[in-house]
PDB file of all heavy atoms in Angstrom:
ATOM      1  N   GLU Y 193      47.019  49.063 -83.144  1.00 70.00           N
ATOM      2  CA  GLU Y 193      46.939  49.942 -84.259  1.00 70.00           C
ATOM      3  C   GLU Y 193      45.592  50.383 -84.696  1.00 70.00           C
ATOM      4  O   GLU Y 193      45.264  51.215 -85.511  1.00 70.00           O
ATOM      5  CB  GLU Y 193      47.703  49.384 -85.495  1.00 70.00           C
ATOM      6  CG  GLU Y 193      47.112  48.139 -86.081  1.00 70.00           C
ATOM      7  CD  GLU Y 193      47.474  46.885 -85.503  1.00 70.00           C
ATOM      8  OE1 GLU Y 193      48.046  46.902 -84.360  1.00 70.00           O
ATOM      9  OE2 GLU Y 193      47.423  45.799 -86.094  1.00 70.00           O
ATOM     10  N   THR Y 194      44.571  49.710 -83.992  1.00 55.00           N
ATOM     11  CA  THR Y 194      43.122  50.031 -84.362  1.00 55.00           C
ATOM     12  C   THR Y 194      42.439  51.087 -83.597  1.00 55.00           C
ATOM     13  O   THR Y 194      41.311  51.420 -83.998  1.00 55.00           O
ATOM     14  CB  THR Y 194      42.278  48.669 -84.228  1.00 55.00           C
ATOM     15  OG1 THR Y 194      42.201  48.444 -82.861  1.00 55.00           O
ATOM     16  CG2 THR Y 194      42.778  47.570 -85.016  1.00 55.00           C
ATOM     17  N   GLY Y 195      43.130  51.666 -82.761  1.00 52.00           N
ATOM     18  CA  GLY Y 195      42.521  52.847 -81.899  1.00 52.00           C
ATOM     19  C   GLY Y 195      41.339  52.312 -81.183  1.00 52.00           C
ATOM     20  O   GLY Y 195      41.426  51.281 -80.500  1.00 52.00           O
ATOM     21  N   SER Y 196      40.258  53.118 -81.386  1.00 47.00           N
ATOM     22  CA  SER Y 196      39.093  52.792 -80.523  1.00 47.00           C
ATOM     23  C   SER Y 196      38.121  51.768 -81.130  1.00 47.00           C
ATOM     24  O   SER Y 196      37.152  51.417 -80.698  1.00 47.00           O
ATOM     25  CB  SER Y 196      38.346  54.024 -80.180  1.00 47.00           C
ATOM     26  OG  SER Y 196      37.843  54.620 -81.380  1.00 47.00           O
ATOM     27  N   ASP Y 197      38.426  51.375 -82.373  1.00 54.00           N
ATOM     28  CA  ASP Y 197      37.466  50.494 -83.143  1.00 54.00           C
ATOM     29  C   ASP Y 197      37.847  48.952 -82.712  1.00 54.00           C
ATOM     30  O   ASP Y 197      38.197  48.187 -83.562  1.00 54.00           O
ATOM     31  CB  ASP Y 197      37.604  50.626 -84.601  1.00 54.00           C
ATOM     32  CG  ASP Y 197      36.576  49.949 -85.470  1.00 54.00           C
ATOM     33  OD1 ASP Y 197      35.566  49.622 -84.772  1.00 54.00           O
ATOM     34  OD2 ASP Y 197      36.827  49.646 -86.553  1.00 54.00           O
ATOM     35  N   GLY Y 198      37.609  48.638 -81.485  1.00 56.00           N
ATOM     36  CA  GLY Y 198      37.947  47.317 -81.131  1.00 56.00           C
ATOM     37  C   GLY Y 198      36.680  46.558 -80.611  1.00 56.00           C
ATOM     38  O   GLY Y 198      35.600  46.845 -81.101  1.00 56.00           O
ATOM     39  N   VAL Y 199      36.916  45.542 -79.661  1.00 60.00           N
ATOM     40  CA  VAL Y 199      35.807  44.875 -79.108  1.00 60.00           C
ATOM     41  C   VAL Y 199      35.081  45.713 -78.095  1.00 60.00           C
ATOM     42  O   VAL Y 199      35.882  46.358 -77.176  1.00 60.00           O
ATOM     43  CB  VAL Y 199      36.245  43.531 -78.417  1.00 60.00           C
ATOM     44  CG1 VAL Y 199      35.189  42.871 -77.883  1.00 60.00           C
ATOM     45  CG2 VAL Y 199      36.978  42.703 -79.580  1.00 60.00           C
ATOM     46  N   VAL Y 200      33.848  45.867 -78.061  1.00 55.00           N
ATOM     47  CA  VAL Y 200      33.209  46.666 -77.209  1.00 55.00           C
ATOM     48  C   VAL Y 200      32.205  45.773 -76.338  1.00 55.00           C
ATOM     49  O   VAL Y 200      31.853  44.674 -76.787  1.00 55.00           O
ATOM     50  CB  VAL Y 200      32.239  47.869 -77.859  1.00 55.00           C
ATOM     51  CG1 VAL Y 200      33.103  48.733 -78.688  1.00 55.00           C
ATOM     52  CG2 VAL Y 200      31.172  47.183 -78.677  1.00 55.00           C
ATOM     53  N   VAL Y 201      31.893  46.263 -75.132  1.00 49.00           N
ATOM     54  CA  VAL Y 201      30.982  45.520 -74.340  1.00 49.00           C
ATOM     55  C   VAL Y 201      29.536  45.731 -74.785  1.00 49.00           C
ATOM     56  O   VAL Y 201      29.034  46.795 -74.941  1.00 49.00           O
ATOM     57  CB  VAL Y 201      31.109  46.099 -72.836  1.00 49.00           C
ATOM     58  CG1 VAL Y 201      29.936  45.406 -72.076  1.00 49.00           C
ATOM     59  CG2 VAL Y 201      32.406  45.540 -72.188  1.00 49.00           C
ATOM     60  N   SER Y 202      28.854  44.569 -74.976  1.00 45.00           N
ATOM     61  CA  SER Y 202      27.553  44.747 -75.425  1.00 45.00           C
ATOM     62  C   SER Y 202      26.551  43.794 -74.707  1.00 45.00           C
ATOM     63  O   SER Y 202      25.372  43.896 -74.720  1.00 45.00           O
ATOM     64  CB  SER Y 202      27.368  44.522 -76.906  1.00 45.00           C
ATOM     65  OG  SER Y 202      27.811  45.609 -77.668  1.00 45.00           O
ATOM     66  N   PRO Y 203      27.166  42.726 -73.953  1.00 39.00           N
ATOM     67  CA  PRO Y 203      26.327  41.746 -73.331  1.00 39.00           C
ATOM     68  C   PRO Y 203      25.392  42.404 -72.353  1.00 39.00           C
ATOM     69  O   PRO Y 203      24.405  41.775 -71.954  1.00 39.00           O
ATOM     70  CB  PRO Y 203      27.241  40.732 -72.709  1.00 39.00           C
ATOM     71  CG  PRO Y 203      28.452  40.827 -73.533  1.00 39.00           C
ATOM     72  CD  PRO Y 203      28.624  42.276 -73.901  1.00 39.00           C
ATOM     73  N   SER Y 204      25.703  43.529 -71.752  1.00 36.00           N
ATOM     74  CA  SER Y 204      24.879  44.035 -70.663  1.00 36.00           C
ATOM     75  C   SER Y 204      25.040  45.509 -70.455  1.00 36.00           C
ATOM     76  O   SER Y 204      26.111  46.131 -70.884  1.00 36.00           O
ATOM     77  CB  SER Y 204      25.275  43.412 -69.345  1.00 36.00           C
ATOM     78  OG  SER Y 204      24.819  44.108 -68.187  1.00 36.00           O
ATOM     79  N   PHE Y 205      24.084  46.172 -69.968  1.00 31.00           N
ATOM     80  CA  PHE Y 205      24.178  47.606 -69.705  1.00 31.00           C
ATOM     81  C   PHE Y 205      25.189  47.950 -68.632  1.00 31.00           C
ATOM     82  O   PHE Y 205      25.924  48.933 -68.701  1.00 31.00           O
ATOM     83  CB  PHE Y 205      22.853  48.242 -69.263  1.00 31.00           C
ATOM     84  CG  PHE Y 205      22.809  49.659 -68.954  1.00 31.00           C
ATOM     85  CD1 PHE Y 205      23.081  50.684 -69.843  1.00 31.00           C
ATOM     86  CD2 PHE Y 205      22.675  49.993 -67.567  1.00 31.00           C
ATOM     87  CE1 PHE Y 205      22.988  52.017 -69.413  1.00 31.00           C
ATOM     88  CE2 PHE Y 205      22.747  51.273 -67.192  1.00 31.00           C
ATOM     89  CZ  PHE Y 205      22.868  52.211 -68.125  1.00 31.00           C
ATOM     90  N   TRP Y 206      25.145  47.135 -67.615  1.00 32.00           N
ATOM     91  CA  TRP Y 206      26.031  47.387 -66.444  1.00 32.00           C
ATOM     92  C   TRP Y 206      26.461  46.045 -65.763  1.00 32.00           C
ATOM     93  O   TRP Y 206      25.599  45.314 -65.377  1.00 32.00           O
ATOM     94  CB  TRP Y 206      25.284  48.247 -65.371  1.00 32.00           C
ATOM     95  CG  TRP Y 206      26.148  48.553 -64.207  1.00 32.00           C
ATOM     96  CD1 TRP Y 206      26.064  48.008 -62.996  1.00 32.00           C
ATOM     97  CD2 TRP Y 206      27.081  49.657 -64.035  1.00 32.00           C
ATOM     98  NE1 TRP Y 206      27.032  48.547 -62.124  1.00 32.00           N
ATOM     99  CE2 TRP Y 206      27.605  49.726 -62.816  1.00 32.00           C
ATOM    100  CE3 TRP Y 206      27.588  50.555 -64.982  1.00 32.00           C
ATOM    101  CZ2 TRP Y 206      28.566  50.543 -62.353  1.00 32.00           C
ATOM    102  CZ3 TRP Y 206      28.548  51.557 -64.503  1.00 32.00           C
ATOM    103  CH2 TRP Y 206      28.984  51.491 -63.215  1.00 32.00           C
ATOM    104  N   GLN Y 207      27.687  45.689 -65.858  1.00 39.00           N
ATOM    105  CA  GLN Y 207      28.096  44.266 -65.535  1.00 39.00           C
ATOM    106  C   GLN Y 207      29.454  44.362 -64.860  1.00 39.00           C
ATOM    107  O   GLN Y 207      30.209  45.255 -64.889  1.00 39.00           O
ATOM    108  CB  GLN Y 207      28.012  43.391 -66.645  1.00 39.00           C
ATOM    109  CG  GLN Y 207      28.926  43.919 -67.830  1.00 39.00           C
ATOM    110  CD  GLN Y 207      28.281  43.417 -69.170  1.00 39.00           C
ATOM    111  OE1 GLN Y 207      27.906  42.257 -69.278  1.00 39.00           O
ATOM    112  NE2 GLN Y 207      28.150  44.304 -70.078  1.00 39.00           N
ATOM    113  N   ARG Y 208      29.887  43.236 -64.424  1.00 39.00           N
ATOM    114  CA  ARG Y 208      31.142  43.059 -63.759  1.00 39.00           C
ATOM    115  C   ARG Y 208      32.112  42.036 -64.576  1.00 39.00           C
ATOM    116  O   ARG Y 208      31.665  40.988 -64.848  1.00 39.00           O
ATOM    117  CB  ARG Y 208      31.111  42.706 -62.381  1.00 39.00           C
ATOM    118  CG  ARG Y 208      32.403  42.657 -61.680  1.00 39.00           C
ATOM    119  CD  ARG Y 208      32.248  42.287 -60.199  1.00 39.00           C
ATOM    120  NE  ARG Y 208      31.546  43.342 -59.496  1.00 39.00           N
ATOM    121  CZ  ARG Y 208      32.128  44.476 -59.054  1.00 39.00           C
ATOM    122  NH1 ARG Y 208      33.355  44.622 -59.095  1.00 39.00           N
ATOM    123  NH2 ARG Y 208      31.471  45.319 -58.339  1.00 39.00           N
ATOM    124  N   LEU Y 209      33.329  42.621 -64.965  1.00 43.00           N
ATOM    125  CA  LEU Y 209      34.129  41.712 -65.636  1.00 43.00           C
ATOM    126  C   LEU Y 209      34.773  40.767 -64.610  1.00 43.00           C
ATOM    127  O   LEU Y 209      35.340  41.152 -63.712  1.00 43.00           O
ATOM    128  CB  LEU Y 209      35.271  42.558 -66.382  1.00 43.00           C
ATOM    129  CG  LEU Y 209      36.171  41.833 -67.318  1.00 43.00           C
ATOM    130  CD1 LEU Y 209      35.356  41.623 -68.587  1.00 43.00           C
ATOM    131  CD2 LEU Y 209      37.330  42.806 -67.501  1.00 43.00           C
ATOM    132  N   TRP Y 210      34.609  39.422 -64.806  1.00 40.00           N
ATOM    133  CA  TRP Y 210      35.189  38.452 -63.882  1.00 40.00           C
ATOM    134  C   TRP Y 210      36.443  37.697 -64.353  1.00 40.00           C
ATOM    135  O   TRP Y 210      37.063  37.002 -63.595  1.00 40.00           O
ATOM    136  CB  TRP Y 210      34.199  37.549 -63.325  1.00 40.00           C
ATOM    137  CG  TRP Y 210      33.340  36.694 -64.257  1.00 40.00           C
ATOM    138  CD1 TRP Y 210      32.011  36.942 -64.477  1.00 40.00           C
ATOM    139  CD2 TRP Y 210      33.802  35.646 -65.106  1.00 40.00           C
ATOM    140  NE1 TRP Y 210      31.598  36.027 -65.399  1.00 40.00           N
ATOM    141  CE2 TRP Y 210      32.571  35.226 -65.860  1.00 40.00           C
ATOM    142  CE3 TRP Y 210      34.992  35.006 -65.254  1.00 40.00           C
ATOM    143  CZ2 TRP Y 210      32.631  34.240 -66.645  1.00 40.00           C
ATOM    144  CZ3 TRP Y 210      35.015  34.048 -66.275  1.00 40.00           C
ATOM    145  CH2 TRP Y 210      33.916  33.712 -66.820  1.00 40.00           C
ATOM    146  N   GLY Y 211      36.714  37.793 -65.601  1.00 41.00           N
ATOM    147  CA  GLY Y 211      37.834  37.002 -66.090  1.00 41.00           C
ATOM    148  C   GLY Y 211      38.150  37.353 -67.497  1.00 41.00           C
ATOM    149  O   GLY Y 211      37.508  37.744 -68.306  1.00 41.00           O
ATOM    150  N   LYS Y 212      39.561  37.292 -67.840  1.00 41.00           N
ATOM    151  CA  LYS Y 212      39.926  37.558 -69.106  1.00 41.00           C
ATOM    152  C   LYS Y 212      41.363  36.808 -69.283  1.00 41.00           C
ATOM    153  O   LYS Y 212      41.933  36.552 -68.435  1.00 41.00           O
ATOM    154  CB  LYS Y 212      40.078  39.031 -69.370  1.00 41.00           C
ATOM    155  CG  LYS Y 212      41.244  39.603 -68.576  1.00 41.00           C
ATOM    156  CD  LYS Y 212      41.417  41.165 -68.941  1.00 41.00           C
ATOM    157  CE  LYS Y 212      42.643  41.844 -68.219  1.00 41.00           C
ATOM    158  NZ  LYS Y 212      42.920  43.086 -68.591  1.00 41.00           N
TER     159      LYS Y 212
END
Side-chain angles (χ1 to χ4, degrees):
E193 68 270 24
T194 62
S196 61
D197 189 20
V199 177
V200 302
V201 169
S202 293
S204 157
F205 173 74
W206 182 259
Q207 56 211 309
R208 182 174 295 277
L209 190 73
W210 52 248
K212 67 175 185 175

